[in-house]
Amino acid sequence: MTRWHVEAVLLDMDGTLLDTEQVYLEASIAALNALGYHDGVVELCHAMIGIPGPDNERTLRDHFGDNFPLVEVNRLFAAKTAEILQAGMPLKRGVIDLLDAIDAAGLPKAVVTSSSRNTAAEHLRLAGIDHRFDAVLTRDDVSRAKPHPDLYLLAAQRLGTRAPACVAIEDSNPGVAAAHAAGAITLMVPDIVPPTDRSRATCVAVLPHLDAVRELLGERLQLASPT
């Protein structure tokens, strides 16, 4: 099997490292339902997965009209999210073993997320993995977030390399589009929304979980297995 030339690993946060997309989906639907919005809400919330919050706010206004009570929806969303996360910040399967294997290979790694800087810092802290990364790139670091490539290009630069020499691990179709557009070796581990045909065509592989990612990287990069 051909080895990849990889100098860094770039990882999405929500839905990839942290099992938060289901939390956000549940909180979004609950907030909209509480204010009387029901028709098409589930499909609309699915379409917003992987998209930065400000872009989703515009989507909601476009969909429901100028009188949409955005402030109240955001308040209810935040309250429901906090309620769910009182039980702790859940990690996706295989996170720790993957991070350990990347460390053992001596590769730098960065979080590349559509979340805000404050949210990313708090959620990584709650999950106990905030110290595991050489850089954390958020939507606050660029003028164009995912699905544009800017975050991935900047993340590679921060780690002293170029995107084509990076493996990018994503769960969402917008994230895959961003990583691929940057030229990264893109792997997808779908979370809630399945991969589109375009995502399947642009990914090197679509994998069921991060343990499978670690196994593939072990083959292509000769990563050590966890002890």
Side-chain angles (χ1 to χ4, degrees), residues 23-33 41 45 48 73 77 80:
V23 174
Y24 294 152
L25 181 64
E26 180 181 343
S28 297
I29 293 171
L32 290 167
N33 288 171
V41 161
C45 290
M48 295 191 295
V73 167
F77 170 82
K80 185 64 175 178

Side-chain angles (χ1 to χ4, degrees), residues 177-205:
H180 176 73
I185 301 167
T186 306
L187 306 178
M188 186 179 190
V189 182
D191 184 25
I192 296 174
V193 178
T196 61
D197 289 342
R198 181 171 179 79
S199 288
R200 288 189 179 277
T202 54
C203 286
V204 171

Side-chain angles (χ1 to χ4, degrees), residues 119-138:
T119 296
E122 177 66 6
H123 286 187
L124 291 170
R125 183 189 67 79
L126 287 173
I129 58 172
D130 53 320
H131 62 291
R132 300 297 306 264
F133 303 96
D134 300 283
V136 176
L137 283 297
T138 75

Side-chain angles (χ1 to χ4, degrees), residues 32 35 43 57 59 106 153 172 183 187 207 225 227:
L32 290 167
L35 295 175
E43 294 79 7
E57 291 180 354
T59 296
L153 294 171
S172 72
L187 306 178
L207 300 164
S225 299
T227 57

Side-chain angles (χ1 to χ4, degrees), residues 131-200:
H131 62 291
R132 300 297 306 264
F133 303 96
D134 300 283
V136 176
L137 283 297
T138 75
R139 70 169 187 242
D140 296 326
D141 294 303
V142 292
S143 59
R144 301 186 309 168
K146 302 174 187 179
H148 299 286
D150 306 36
L151 268 173
Y152 276 103
L153 294 171
L154 182 59
Q157 181 182 1
R158 289 276 178 89
L159 296 183
T161 185
R162 298 173 62 252
C166 297
V167 168
I169 304 169
E170 275 281 355
D171 74 290
S172 72
N173 293 300
V176 165
H180 176 73
I185 301 167
T186 306
L187 306 178
M188 186 179 190
V189 182
D191 184 25
I192 296 174
V193 178
T196 61
D197 289 342
R198 181 171 179 79
S199 288
R200 288 189 179 277

